[in-house]
Every structure is written in structure tokens, then in C-alpha cells.
Amino acid sequence: MFLEIDDTAPPLYDGGTDRHDRETPGFMCGIVGLFLKDKALEPQLGALLAGMLEVMTDRGPDSAGFAVYGAGAPGHVKLTVRGADLDGLADAIGGVKATVRDSHLVLSLPAAEEDRVRGWLALERPDLVVIGAGQRIELYKEVGLPADVATRFNLAGMSGTHGIGHTRMATESAVTTDGAHPFSTGPDQCLVHNGSLSNHRSLRRMLEPHGIAFTTDNDSEVAAGYLSWKLREGASLAQALEDSLDDLDGFFTFVVGTESGFAVLRDPISCKPAVMAETDRYVAFGSEYRALVGLPGIEHARVFEPEPARVYAWEHG
Amino acid sequence: MDLDRIPQTLPRFSATFDAHTLSEIRRAAATGIYDIRGGGTKRKLPHFDDLLFLGASISRYPLEGYREKCATDVVLGTRFAKKPIHLKIPITIAGMSFGSLSAQAKEALGRGASLAGTSTTTGDGGMTPEERGQSQTLVYQYLPSRYGMNPADLRKADAIEIVIGQGAKPGGGGMLLGQKISDRVAEMRTLPKGIDQRSACRHPDWTGPDDLEIKIEELREITDWEKPIYVKVGATRPYYDVALAVKSGADVIVLDGMQGGTAATQDVFIEHVGIPILAAIRPAVQALQDLGMHRKVQLIVSGGIRNGADVAKALALGADAVSIGTAALVALGDNDPHYEDEYRKLGSTAGAYDDWQEGRDPAGITTQDPLLAARLDPVAAGRRLANYLSVLTLEAQTIARACGKSHLHNLEPEDLVALSVEAAAMARVPLAGTQWVPGQGGY
Amino acid sequence: MPVIDLARASTRELNARLHALTPDDGETEWVVANPQGRHALAVGLDQPVTVEIKGHAGYYCAGMNAEATVIVDGNVGVGVAENMMSGTVLVKGDASQAAGATAHGGLLVIEGDASARCGISMKGVDIVVKGSIGPMSAFMAQSGNLVVLGDAGDALGDSIYEARIYVRGSVKSLGADCIEKEMRDEHRADLVRLLAAAGLGDVAHADEFRRYGSARQLYTFHVDNAAAY
């Protein structure tokens, strides 16, 4: 047996961020978004979003994620934390209110406490990941069928002004939440993406010195980081998206949420599918029309496919 | 001898600006267009030549050449198709179009493949009755241009190959210059005669894996889930492309290395885009293994397969079958010294002729000129191809038996060592005489 | 009239039943209920039957159709009637991208709007859109007619070969090698025929259209056109 070769060495693509060809493609997916104009619909936001997400199961059966902009208190922030063993965490941190939803925990705390709480988490519970932060955003993503994921977090019971969601077909053997959307790289900001960026490695190198941190190798997270950087520098959401047309290369359809805004952008070639519907009561986005079929009054909505390289943005007054 | 004379240094040519480079700069300056040619990459690349088999000795026992069986059959499309393809040998004929090739050449490929018990493949130009008639097993390519695509031929095919890219030009579209757009080619492609035809590089009605999955569903529905669906990609990022093709529902994946030929494309594309097949197989197999799909979704590799040793090495690295294009054309008679005088008149020489786009092929293969095409006897050329396929098979069997294998598919990476550090790293086998696999175990 | 209810039956069952039809079957009128936006509905038909889909269809509805008439009482997804050979496909709502892509023959009528790349690489089909069409329509269109009663988006007819485009409304911009061309009697006659076939003979008049087609400047490579490639 002396000619046996040791093939117990780890596979080439086992992780690490230094391999130039490593990427976790985020481009097999379905995306949805709903922005309510009519306050009377707000209690139904989660239920409507859950229905839209479930229809997109074929496009992404392996995992799902969504962000909901719900209630928030001025001067307070919500941190969405993902991980195991969440019971008793709030008591251990002290001075925070907590809501556990399955594998996620939403901590509510005074804004002045945010640095302390983040520091405590980094030190005491490095296994946990803060996946979203802001006055109103709550963000959930998990492995499993979209309908099951929505049920685990009781999406249908959530109310809010707007939300976006994503279903994903994972490309790696072990399906994890690492490449799951939405990505949040700034306060109350989140993005979902269908497509494939061709210059995300350079963008990442450009953004990191500006203090934009990334937790995955995903091209979509880079897009989110780019918008966060632009917003931080004072751009409006619409302006940040306009600028992205110059700086982001490749194929993309983005749906983006901020504390009060909602926007859609497709690249100049626009191969990836996108359908929108607008009524007096809402603006909705789906990768396919069937994601919109369950919305109230859809039969009278203005249904259209967003044009290439044109920013569509809505803002709550 | 005049020792007082000051010696002169000899004229020295630049290694960077060598004679070929200089001639290309002059050609570009004169014409203003990039060089277009046929064939595959001509530069020296890390290839199977730098791998060696470890034959049996005391620790392993060989099989007797003429009495002990070494099977060669392969079944393709076992994942979803109701009618998988059974081939006698794991060597198939790659997709080449009628248009780029003459009808006689296409017929000869069909005849040779059928004699050898393997499949041949259509190309970017539709299916001709000649090749369907002479091919026992015919794979129908589904390309971005959809030239000649029709549901009747789709149903006549034995398998469908969705072409996303090819090794000679991953990310590029097809190209057929006006000289080869004859009446029949023009009609099959719905194009005006004599124009320079540019094919698209992306499919017109889907982009990306999520939409590919829906496209595969449509093709399966149209053909009642009978036919294996192949997905062909040029080798660039094989780990991800194979994983995505599997996720999209492919039965078979065809992976074409950069040595793979083309009828016509830019020289700069052929020589500078894509990776050699040696470097592509292991990541592709890794993807299949990571997904638990190795041998369930079959992998066909191509690009520079020349002899039975290449076949055996590709299979040992994890492929289920190989595909040949350039070598098959040579077996038919491409670049034969018999036509040396005519190659000279075209400014080339036998063995180097690659202006397949011009349609003036003295061997009558890459042409639509009726007089030139008539030079190729499809029956005799088909016989030559069958002979060649037979030799490839016998050679691969010889190696497999020496390694103690009763089936070609039992060859494995551990049967191989590498002669160079590059080959060891790319094939993920140890450098000969060492335990060192570069890139693994922290090295 | 057989009704296939997709709330209970699968796409496979629908297509298998339609593929099993022979010229001698008496059943020529089929109804598909509850399509729910499913993909690949009524694809690969090859008999002169009529299939009415009562609702929205997904990608590639009536793909590779031959002989059959497929009516969609709703919207359709990407690639409706892609690579159609003959027959008729009528969409009463809107069509998504790549409607009629690479289709060789038959008639595709869209009563609503069609989005980007309508008629991409078309090879002989007649497409009539009552509404407007999106950007990059008739890209690399090889043969056939594209008639648009509304407006056309950016880069209409880019790299077009011998297909003919007729637009009644505005054209946002023309693509490379696509130019406006003279409307002659033969074109007006063609339009009259196409509008009548689409049931729109009373809605629009041939004189209201402008014709676009290939300037044929990209048919053979010339160095001065390099920027257009």
C-alpha cells in the first residue's frame, strides 16, 4: 500500500477569501419587494410578502431571506442577530429588549448603547452574527424551502411599511446561510440581487479602505456595500443607484430598501427578469409576474417591466 | 584568418517580437481587423503529456491483454432522461456545424462514429438529413443562434446539447464568413447568401442558471422527458459552472478545454481565453463529488485529445467520456501532406493550415465549394475515422489493463503521477517519485 | 371540450395529453384552467388544435409551436412562442422579454405590451403587438415581420438582417445598422394582411405606420464600421 496517495487533504474550494477565483454566486434566485402607500395595508405586509416569496420557490428552493421595515422608536436601534443558543442572551447583555424568532434575535436598545452591545457580542459571543441594524429594519434568512422559512419566522404575522425578499438556489454542496440575501451593509439598508457582477473583486478592494466591511465572498454584498458607501457620503438612494450604473459592471436587477425608501434598478442590458405593479395602495416587484398575482387589486394595477439602466425609486413622505 | 578584424555580433531576433509576432503586427496594420482563423490554440500548454500511469507490478496485478476483458462502454443521461444513450466506447465526436464543414465531412463523421458505436453531434447550423441518416446516435446542439432549430429535428435527435460555450472561445459567439455561406447554408440559417454571419454569444431567451433551469424544463417537456440534456461549457471556472449546470438540471456536462477547435474565431480569443483541459477536469469532478453527483451526472471532456493515453488520463481524472473534434478531422484527411502543393498556394503548409474560415480547404472538409467538397469520399473517410477511434480505444484499454482495470472507468487519479510541477498542481496528482501535490496540504 | 385543470394536473400531464393527439382525434378544442403562471405550458404542439389557457402563463408558453392555436387569457412570461414554426399564438395580456424569439413561422399576436427583446433573432415569424414593445427588440432579426401599433423602445432592430419592422407610434432610438425605409405598395399590402390576420384591421390603418429595416452596412466587415461591432 506504499503507493497510496493521501487524498485526505481538504478540497480546493473549502473557503478562504484569498483565492482569486472564489465566489459564492448569488445569481440563482427569485426576488420580491413590496412598498406600501396605503397605511391600511401595513398589518398585512408580512402576509403579502410571504405569499410572494413562496411563489418564487422554483427559482430558489434552498434558502430564503427577507427584510421588513416595521415599528421603530426614535433614538433606538434594532439589531438582528443570527445564531444558536439565544435564550437568556438579552439578560446577559443587560439594558436591551429582545424578541426571539427561531434562529434570530432582534435586540432593541437605545442608540447610545449600540457600540457597547456590539462590543459585548463580539467579545462574549463571537459565534453570533449581526445581520441587520437600524431604527426599523428586521432581517431574517435561513436554509430551507421559502414557505418553511417564512413560517419559522412568522413572516405572515409581521406588519410594516415595506419589505423585500429573496429565494436562493445554493451552488455549494453544504447549503448555508452565508450567501443568502438580503444583504445589509448600513443602517436600515438592505439589498437583494439577481444577476452576476463582473467587477465585484475590484469594487471590494476599492470599498474596504473606506471602512465598508464584508462578511461573505458574495458579489451581491459588494453591491450593497457600494450603495451604503454612497449613502454615507450623502447621496440620495436614487443618486447612489445612478452612480452604480457607472461603477458596477455585469448583470443585475436590484431591489433596495432604506428606512423610508424603496428602489429598483436593472443593468443596461437587463437580461434577468423583473416585473413591477403599481396601484394607489402599493408598489410591488417580482422576478416573475406570478409573484404578484395574489396582491389586492392586481388586476387593475399598472403592470410593467422596468426599463434598462433606469432608477425607479419611491419614498415615504 | 584575420585576427585584427573586429568581430561582428550576429543579427539577433527578439524572443518577444519573434517572426510570427512581427508578421501579425504588419498584417494588422495593413488590414485593421483582427486575425480570424480556425482550429484550436497552437501555443504549448500544460497537457496530458506531463502525466504518467503507474503500471502494475508487485502491489497491483495487471490484466492479460488478449484474454481478460477491459470494458469500454458508457451510458450517458441516466439522471432524468427516459432514454439514456448507450455507447460502446467513451469517445464521442464533438459538435461541428454543417456550414463550417461540408456535407460530405458531416456524413463521414456520422459513418465513422456509427461504425465505432459512438455518437456524433450537430453544430451551429442545424441538422442535415445526411448526418441524421448516417449517425446511429446523434446529439443535437441547441445554440444561441438557433440556426435551423426546429422541433421536428429535436424529436429526431438522441440527445440535446445546450451549448453555453466552447473551449476555443468561452464567452464568444460563432462566426461564419461570407465565403462559406452557400445557398444551402444560407437557407438552413435563414440568412442572406454571402454575408459575414455573426452569431450571438448569449442565448436569446435565457441568461444565468435560474433561467437555464426553466429552459431545460421546456426542452424536456417538448421531447416528453425522453432525451438526455447535455450542457456544454468552455473551461474557465469549471467548479462553479459544473455545479450550476447540475443545479439547473443537466443530465450530462460537456467541458471543453482551451485546446478545443473552432471553425472560425479571433486568434486572440483562441490563444488567450479559457484554461487547458488538464486544469479543468479536477475542479469539475470536485463539483460533482461535492454535490454527490459524480457518475450520476456524466462528464464528457474535450480539447486536445489525440491518443489512447489522453483518453485514459481524462477518464482517470474523473471524466466519464471524452470528445474529439480536431483529431477526428485529421482522421478524415484534414491537413494531409497529400495536398502539400495546394496548401503552399494558400500560403500555408500541411499541418499548419488553419484558414478554415475561408472555405478553400484542399482536403474538402472545411469548405462549401462543391468541387473541393467532392474530394472527400464520405465512406472512405468514415472508415478512417472508425479505424482511428478503434486505435484510441485499444490504446486506452492497454493502459487500463496494465493498471489492473477491467473497465476504463475504474482508472483513478491515484494511478497517475506528474512529470512537472505544473501538471502535478493542475491534475492534483503527486510529482513523480514524491508525495507532493502542489496546492494541497498547505503547499 | 376537454378541460385540464392545472390545480390538479401537472404540466407534464397537460403536455403529454396534447402531444398524444393525432390528426384523427376529434378533440380540437382544449381548455387549460388555473395555469398559475407555470412554465412550459402547451409547448411542442404539432397538431391543428386550439388550446385556450385561462389565466397567466410563465416562461416559454407555446414554445416551438407548430400548427396549433394557443390563446392565453392573461399575461405570459419570458419567451412566449419561442422558436414557433407555424400556427397562431394569441396573448390577451402583456408579454415579458424575448417574445417570439427565434421563431421561424406562424403568427404571434400580443394584445397588450411586449417588453425587451421582442422578436430577437426572429427567423420568419409574423409578430403583431397592439401595445408597445421594449428596448432591443428585433435584435439580430433575420426574417419575418414585426408590427407594432404602439411605441418602440431603445435600439430597435440592432444588427438586423432581412426582417421588416413596422411601427405606428414613436421609436425611441434605432440600433446599429437599422434605418427607416420607404413604405411601398408591397409593404402596405403586407401590413393590411398582417393587421387583418391579427384581427386589428379596424384598429389601425397601414398608412399610419413607418417601416424600418437593415442598412446592410454590417453584412461584410469593414474597418471603418469596427465601432459598431
Side-chain angles (χ1 to χ4, degrees), chain C residues 113-133:
Chain C
D113 297 330
S115 75
R117 282 174 272 270
C118 177
I120 182 171
S121 205
M122 55 193 276
K123 294 170 169 45
V125 67
D126 291 325
I127 302 175
V128 182
V129 181
K130 193 174 171 188
S132 297
I133 58 173

Side-chain angles (χ1 to χ4, degrees), chain A residues 12 23 59 170-171 173 272, chain B residues 207 210-211 244 247 290 428:
Chain A
L12 254 189
E23 44 193 355
R59 296 188 74 88
T171 51
S173 51
K272 300 311 295 179
Chain B
T207 312
D210 39 16
D211 291 343
L244 292 169
K247 285 278 184 173
D290 286 353
R428 303 185 197 172

Side-chain angles (χ1 to χ4, degrees), chain B residues 193-227:
Chain B
K193 191 187 172 188
I195 67 158
D196 290 348
Q197 165 246 298
R198 303 148 278 143
S199 302
C201 66
R202 285 195 314 272
H203 281 259
D205 55 357
W206 67 270
T207 312
D210 39 16
D211 291 343
L212 171 59
E213 185 188 20
I214 305 171
K215 174 52 74 176
I216 289 177
E217 181 193 358
E218 184 208 7
L219 293 173
R220 287 198 193 282
E221 282 295 324
I222 288 171
T223 54
D224 292 313
W225 290 72
E226 288 180 349
K227 300 175 198 308

